[in-house]
């Protein structure tokens, strides 16, 4: 500005600042962008001068655990640390600090130097610092620029992952299952296998990871195709469970179970199959044991009823396809109950085992032997060209039974009764064939045991009659349908009646008197003979008292005892109780016991007979000569009388053999001081022979048929015994 005379002049200078303004605006915008970026970033930016004082810190750092007032421009890092409470700062160890300080003193860059501090929540935080020195244009050190990063989340995640891996490693080592992961796409290459593959099956996991087919090569050839067919199912259903045999490194196959599940990746990509494989050998053994218990007889190891029916069903289906016959044999041991009761269940079990072995050795390889229960066995003859071929097999079985069984050091002969059915004539299903074979077996029993019978339709009606008879017998005692008939025994010297034999009769309502041959065997088989036998003894004792009350001189009455009664275990007590209750003189009671029933367990029989003898009654052996006829045993039995069986008396006066046997029995009995009674005397010629040879007593139709109690008084006191 100039002021002159009369006027003022102003001098103006112009300079353009546009470029500068643009540069300043650009710088401000750049700084704003930088600050925005640093504020948005989880990292923070910092600068230090050559004295290591902070000259710039981005705002992100203020959100960390360090208070903003402590962590600010103008302070050194040491001052920041000094201002922080001790509980918030965890210093590095001296060695780490020394190395870091050496880097700073050397003005060298450093990267990812990790510091630890405790956050406001008390949890450890991890801070990573990286720094780069900067210099002026002359190369003089001016300070550090760098970034900081909060690694807490990552470090905690790493820590949790490490713990998870350690837990998983421990669990995988403790479990017997081998854990694996495979690619979902064929060839299902493994991506992970737990280390216990070595301890469980003997293979290194690396071997299976290298070779996608390594596992498949260890699968049993018979299971491989099934396993390969199963694998795609896990992709369809999302899961799969199957079992197969797997080869261990010791060369043995073991059963394993494999469970798998499909894990889907993001968007369906990179799907994985995860699962486990576990040794189930023990489970398989247990299942096999259960299966064997369910289908096999534990004593004989033969198929039981359930498996036998299944085998028969299969054989019938095959026979129908091939147009051949199938046979069924129903086998029942004769008098097994006697063996079991007299010799004990242990001996009985051993007999059943030996019988099962003989049956298996006798039949053909394709046939099935089964035990249906008790002493009942059955055989499936799977292929028969004609029904008559079944007889050939049964004959071999009967021949096998001709050899004695070795039981606890003693030889025993056992026979069997066999019923035979053949499909399709006798039935086309298992139930019908077995039922009809059972019916035929009972017919074999009725025919005298140790017998073979083919089934015929007529047998069903006979079996039905037997069943009805048995049902009626079970109520006969309580309905008072039993009677006692008496047959006199006559002295061959005087002709006087010296005794009576009590004989059981059954008057069945609507049928009249039933033959003893028809109902007594049923009483024996069912065990009803025990209570009925007690009734017989009580009734005989009562009859003696009736005779005394009527003024007649009573004679001894003989009562028959069955083998079943001898084995019942309560015979002695029953006899004592009956004698005490009736008050009858025991000398007036005679117990008749068959020879064969005494020989099953002679030691116990001797003891029992001696105890019975002590009661004062008499004992006789009935049907002598038809059983064992062992003199060695006979002299040990405390018996009073031998009764010659009617089979020897029938032709005694015309058959020299029968005559010789009868003479021998009489002579032997007298040598042992025993009385002899002949049964079934029907002719004067028979009686004459008995008188001539010194037989003591005789009974039979020649003198009198058995009569009911009310007719006893009409019997004569004596009969003529000589012409």
């Amino acid at each position: 500005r100039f002021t002159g005379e009369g006027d003022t002049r102003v001098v103006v200078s112009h300079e353009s600042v546009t470029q500068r303004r643009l540069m300043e605006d650009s710088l401000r915008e750049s700084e704003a962008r930088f600050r925005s970026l640093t504020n948005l970033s989880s990292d923070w930016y910092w600068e230090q001068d050559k004295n290591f004082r902070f000259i710039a810190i981005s705002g992100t750092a203020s959100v960390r655990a360090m208070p903003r007032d402590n962590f600010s421009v103008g302070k050194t890092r040491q001052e920041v640390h000094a201002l922080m409470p001790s509980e918030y700062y965890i210093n590095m160890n001296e060695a780490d600090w020394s190395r870091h300080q050496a880097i700073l003193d050397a003005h060298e860059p450093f990267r990812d130097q990790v510091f630890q501090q405790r956050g406001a929540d008390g949890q450890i935080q991890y801070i990573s610092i990286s720094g780069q020195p900067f210099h002026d244009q002359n190369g003089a050190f001016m300070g550090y620029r760098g970034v900081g990063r909060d690694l807490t989340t990552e470090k905690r995640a790493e820590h949790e992952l490490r713990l998870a891996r350690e837990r998983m490693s421990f669990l995988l080592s403790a479990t017997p299952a081998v854990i694996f992961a495979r690619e979902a796409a064929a060839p299902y290459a493994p991506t992970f296998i737990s280390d216990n593959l070595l301890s469980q099956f003997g293979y290194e996991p690396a071997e299976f990871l290298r070779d996608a087919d390594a596992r498949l090569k260890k699968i049993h050839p018979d299971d491989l195709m099934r396993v390969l067919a199963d694998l795609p199912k896990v992709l369809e259903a999302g899961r799969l469970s199957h079992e197969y045999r797997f080869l261990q490194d010791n060369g043995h196959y073991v059963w394993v179970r494999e469970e798998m599940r499909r894990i889907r990746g993001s968007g369906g990509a990179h799907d994985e199959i995860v699962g486990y494989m576990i040794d189930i050998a023990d489970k398989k053994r247990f299942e096999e044991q259960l299966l064997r218990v369910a289908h096999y007889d534990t004593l004989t190891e033969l198929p039981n009823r359930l498996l036998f029916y299944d085998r028969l069903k299969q054989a019938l289906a095959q026979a129908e396809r091939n147009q051949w016959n199938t046979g069924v044999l129903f086998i029942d041991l004769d008098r097994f109950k006697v063996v079991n009761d007299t010799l004990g269940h242990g001996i009985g079990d051993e007999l059943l085992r030996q019988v099962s072995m003989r049956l298996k050795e006798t039949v053909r390889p394709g046939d099935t032997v089964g035990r249906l229960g008790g002493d009942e066995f059955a055989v499936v003859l799977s292929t028969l060209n004609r029904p008559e071929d079944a007889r050939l097999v049964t004959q071999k079985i009967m021949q096998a039974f001709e050899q004695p069984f070795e039981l606890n050091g003693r030889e025993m002969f056992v026979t069997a009764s066999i019923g035979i059915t053949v499909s399709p004539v006798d039935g086309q299903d298992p139930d019908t064939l077995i039922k009809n074979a059972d019916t035929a077996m009972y017919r074999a029993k009725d025919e005298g045991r140790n017998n073979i019978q083919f089934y015929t339709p007529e047998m069903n009606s006979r079996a039905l009659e037997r069943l009805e008879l048995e049902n009626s017998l079970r109520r006969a005692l309580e309905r008072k349908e039993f009677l006692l008939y008496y047959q006199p025994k006559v002295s061959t010297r005087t002709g006087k009646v010296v005794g009576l034999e009590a004989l059981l009769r059954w008057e069945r309502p609507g049928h009249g008197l039933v033959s003893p041959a028809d109902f007594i065997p049923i009483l024996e088989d069912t065990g009803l003979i025990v209570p009925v036998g007690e009734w017989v003894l009580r009734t005989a004792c009562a009859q003696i008292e009736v005779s005394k009350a009527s003024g007649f001189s009573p004679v001894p009455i003989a009562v028959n005892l069955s083998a079943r009664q001898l084995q019942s275990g309560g015979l002695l007590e029953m006899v004592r109780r009956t004698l005490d209750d009736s008050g009858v003189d025991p000398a007036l009671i005679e117990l008749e016991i068959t020879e064969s029933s005494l020989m099953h367990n002679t030691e116990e029989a001797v003891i029992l007979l001696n105890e019975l003898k002590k009661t004062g009654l008499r004992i006789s052996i009935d049907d002598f000569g038809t059983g064992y006829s062992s003199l060695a045993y006979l002299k040990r039995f405390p018996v009073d009388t031998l009764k010659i069986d009617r089979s020897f008396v029938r032709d005694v006066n015309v058959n020299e053999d029968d005559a010789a046997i009868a003479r021998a029995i009489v002579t032997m009995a007298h040598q042992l001081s025993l009385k002899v009674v002949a049964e079934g005397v029907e002719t004067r010629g028979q009686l004459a022979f008995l008188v001539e040879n010194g037989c003591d007593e005789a009974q039979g139709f020649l003198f009198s048929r058995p009569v009911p109690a009310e007719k006893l008084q009409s019997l004569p006191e004596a009969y003529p015994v000589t012409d």
Side-chain angles (χ1 to χ4, degrees):
R1 179 179 182 184
F2 298 97
T3 303
E5 293 180 3
D7 60 357
T8 300
R9 298 181 180 182
V10 177
V11 180
V12 179
S13 175
H14 294 274
E15 181 181 358
S16 177
V17 295
T18 301
Q19 189 66 31
R20 182 170 60 83
R21 287 295 184 94
L22 290 174
M23 291 180 62
E24 289 176 352
D25 290 343
S26 177
L27 182 61
R28 280 194 298 272
E29 290 177 4
S30 178
E31 184 179 356
R33 283 195 298 271
F34 174 75
R35 291 185 180 278
S36 296
L37 290 173
T38 56
N39 287 333
L40 290 173
S41 173
S42 60
D43 297 346
W44 65 89
Y45 172 77
W46 55 270
E47 287 187 22
Q48 290 177 323
D49 62 16
K50 61 183 179 181
N51 295 316
F52 300 104
R53 292 185 180 278
F54 287 102
I55 57 177
I57 302 175
S58 69
T60 307
S62 64
V63 301
R64 306 302 168 191
M66 295 176 288
R68 181 64 175 170
D69 292 341
N70 295 345
F71 189 48
S72 59
V73 173
K75 295 178 181 176
T76 66
R77 186 182 300 176
Q78 287 79 5
E79 290 173 339
V80 170
H81 292 162
L83 291 171
M84 290 179 64
S86 59
E87 64 269 18
Y88 287 107
Y89 178 63
I90 302 176
N91 198 1
M92 291 189 295
N93 59 49
E94 292 185 5
D96 290 339
W97 270 117
S98 297
R99 284 192 293 272
H100 183 61
Q101 191 62 49
I103 292 173
L104 297 178
D105 292 343
H107 302 161
E108 294 177 352
F110 59 91
R111 187 174 183 83
D112 297 328
Q113 181 67 62
V114 179
F115 298 86
Q116 299 179 40
Q117 64 186 36
R118 195 176 301 278
D121 59 359
Q123 299 296 316
I124 295 175
Q125 292 181 331
Y126 298 86
I127 308 299
S128 174
I129 304 294
S130 297
Q132 180 73 33
F134 65 93
H135 305 79
D136 63 11
Q137 59 186 2
N138 297 320
F141 173 72
M142 298 299 294
Y144 272 93
R145 296 188 182 100
V147 293
R149 173 175 295 178
D150 187 349
L151 298 179
T152 301
T153 301
E154 290 86 343
K155 288 291 185 180
R156 288 179 180 175
E158 289 177 4
H159 178 68
E160 290 298 327
L161 182 59
R162 184 172 62 255
L163 290 179
R165 285 176 175 171
E166 290 178 357
R167 286 194 294 266
M168 182 59 69
S169 177
F170 172 75
L171 291 175
L172 292 181
S173 65
T175 181
V178 175
I179 311 299
F180 61 83
R182 301 190 191 119
E183 295 177 353
Y188 312 108
T191 57
F192 170 78
I193 300 178
S194 58
D195 291 339
N196 59 349
L197 178 68
L198 178 63
S199 60
Q200 293 299 317
F201 299 102
Y203 301 113
E204 291 286 351
E207 176 186 349
F208 280 56
L209 292 172
R210 284 193 307 268
D211 183 359
D213 294 332
R215 179 183 70 95
L216 298 178
K217 294 174 183 176
K218 310 299 182 185
I219 297 175
H220 195 285
D222 293 344
D223 301 333
L224 181 58
M225 296 307 296
R226 175 172 54 85
V227 172
L228 290 174
D230 282 346
L231 287 176
K233 297 177 183 178
V234 72
L235 303 180
E236 302 165 6
R239 61 179 63 231
L240 173 66
S241 175
H242 59 179
E243 297 176 357
Y244 55 86
R245 285 161 290 183
F246 188 77
L247 182 65
Q248 294 178 304
D249 71 326
N250 59 11
H252 297 292
Y253 282 99
V254 294
W255 277 97
V256 299
R257 184 175 71 249
E258 196 172 57
E259 299 272 355
M260 290 182 283
R261 179 177 293 185
R262 178 180 182 177
I263 305 298
R264 297 186 179 275
S266 176
H270 308 296
D271 286 6
E272 230 182 7
I273 298 173
V274 298
Y276 68 86
M277 182 175 69
I278 188 169
D279 183 342
I280 58 169
D282 291 339
K283 171 179 171 289
K284 279 291 183 180
R285 280 192 291 269
F286 182 66
E287 289 177 351
E288 290 173 0
Q289 290 174 357
L290 289 180
L291 186 65
R292 188 156 193 86
V293 169
H295 292 90
Y296 287 86
D297 174 55
T298 55
L299 177 64
T300 63
E301 298 185 353
L302 293 176
N304 61 14
R305 180 180 293 270
L306 179 65
L307 182 57
F308 183 83
Y309 267 72
D310 184 67
R311 296 272 181 88
L312 177 54
K313 185 177 180 180
Q314 294 178 28
L316 289 172
Q318 189 176 13
E320 184 178 3
R321 288 193 300 269
N322 294 279
Q323 297 299 303
W324 60 49
N325 302 114
T326 296
V328 174
L329 310 182
F330 199 104
I331 305 167
D332 188 88
L333 302 185
D334 296 329
R335 307 186 193 281
F336 174 75
K337 177 69 175 174
V338 175
V339 176
N340 210 33
D341 290 345
T342 56
L343 301 183
H345 292 285
I347 297 297
D349 288 347
E350 178 59 25
L351 174 59
L352 292 175
R353 280 191 287 266
Q354 292 189 28
V355 166
S356 68
M357 292 174 62
R358 289 196 188 181
L359 290 175
K360 286 190 292 186
E361 293 169 354
T362 303
V363 302
R364 302 168 302 178
D367 298 333
T368 297
V369 179
R371 183 187 179 203
L372 304 187
D375 61 329
E376 294 178 342
F377 297 85
V379 178
V380 176
L381 304 177
S382 55
T383 56
L384 294 176
N385 294 323
R386 53 180 187 162
E388 292 76 14
D389 292 343
R391 184 181 295 277
L392 300 177
V393 181
T394 55
Q395 288 173 347
K396 290 176 63 179
I397 293 175
M398 300 298 278
Q399 290 171 4
F401 275 73
E402 291 176 359
Q403 300 300 317
F405 291 89
E406 183 73 23
L407 299 173
N408 198 25
R410 72 172 71 187
E411 288 187 344
M412 178 167 292
F413 289 88
V414 177
T415 60
S417 299
I418 304 177
I420 307 171
T421 53
V422 179
S423 73
V425 177
D426 300 328
Q428 300 181 40
D429 61 89
D431 287 328
T432 302
L433 283 169
I434 292 176
K435 177 179 73 69
N436 290 341
D438 187 20
T439 300
M441 181 274 296
Y442 272 109
R443 181 59 180 271
K445 294 274 190 187
D446 293 340
E447 293 296 322
R449 296 180 170 87
N450 193 25
N451 197 286
I452 300 170
Q453 290 290 324
F454 276 88
Y455 170 78
T456 61
E458 293 76 16
M459 290 180 181
N460 272 333
S461 59
R462 184 175 179 85
L464 183 60
E465 290 176 5
R466 176 188 168 91
L467 181 62
E468 292 176 351
L469 202 65
E470 180 179 327
N471 289 335
S472 298
L473 273 173
R474 292 186 181 277
R475 304 294 298 275
L477 188 61
E478 64 179 86
R479 291 174 178 172
K480 300 181 180 180
E481 296 171 1
F482 289 118
L483 306 170
L484 280 190
Y485 275 45
Y486 301 88
Q487 187 174 38
K489 297 179 183 179
V490 177
S491 170
T492 57
R493 291 187 296 274
T494 65
K496 288 186 176 181
V497 175
V498 292
L500 299 170
E501 180 179 0
L503 300 169
L504 182 64
R505 296 292 183 265
W506 176 31
E507 190 167 16
R508 185 183 179 190
H511 296 78
L513 286 176
V514 180
S515 170
D518 290 335
F519 74 87
I520 288 182
I522 298 177
L523 291 177
E524 290 273 3
D525 292 341
T526 60
L528 292 171
I529 194 66
V530 174
V532 172
E534 181 175 354
W535 176 87
V536 170
L537 181 59
R538 288 185 175 277
T539 304
C541 290
Q543 182 59 45
I544 292 174
E545 293 300 307
V546 169
S547 298
K548 290 170 60 178
S550 300
F552 291 93
S553 178
V555 295
I557 296 180
V559 174
N560 291 283
L561 288 183
S562 71
R564 195 68 175 264
Q565 287 176 278
L566 290 173
Q567 300 151 16
S568 66
L571 176 64
L572 179 62
E573 290 73 15
M574 184 273 288
V575 170
R576 287 172 174 170
R577 184 174 61 250
T578 302
L579 292 175
D580 290 342
D581 293 345
S582 66
V584 168
D585 182 1
L588 294 175
I589 295 295
E590 185 174 26
L591 299 181
E592 291 191 4
I593 305 170
T594 61
E595 181 183 10
S596 58
S597 65
L598 291 174
M599 303 307 295
H600 285 291
N601 194 335
T602 55
E603 298 303 324
E604 291 186 6
V606 168
I607 295 173
L608 177 61
L609 292 184
N610 277 311
E611 292 299 318
L612 287 171
K613 190 70 175 162
K614 290 178 182 178
T615 64
L617 49 71
R618 300 173 63 82
I619 297 174
S620 66
I621 294 182
D622 197 10
D623 301 335
F624 188 79
T626 61
Y628 294 87
S629 302
S630 171
L631 299 180
Y633 286 125
L634 182 61
K635 68 180 183 180
R636 297 179 59 196
F637 292 138
V639 298
D640 303 287
T641 305
L642 294 183
K643 297 189 72 175
I644 304 175
D645 186 71
R646 65 182 66 247
S647 62
F648 300 116
V649 174
R650 183 183 304 112
D651 297 322
V652 72
N653 58 330
V654 295
N655 186 296
E656 186 55 37
D657 290 337
D658 288 344
I661 292 174
R663 290 191 194 97
I665 293 174
V666 172
T667 302
M668 176 194 65
H670 288 166
Q671 289 293 325
L672 295 173
S673 301
L674 302 177
K675 185 172 63 175
V676 183
V677 179
E679 297 181 292
V681 179
E682 298 181 357
T683 67
R684 302 299 297 183
Q686 294 168 346
L687 178 60
F689 174 87
L690 297 172
V691 171
E692 180 183 349
N693 287 279
C695 183
D696 300 298
E697 298 175 7
Q699 71 178 95
F701 290 174
L702 177 64
F703 306 110
S704 172
R705 291 177 176 274
V707 297
E710 58 268 22
K711 292 187 177 181
L712 282 176
Q713 296 181 9
S714 62
L715 292 176
E717 294 184 2
Y719 293 89
V721 292
T722 58
D723 294 333

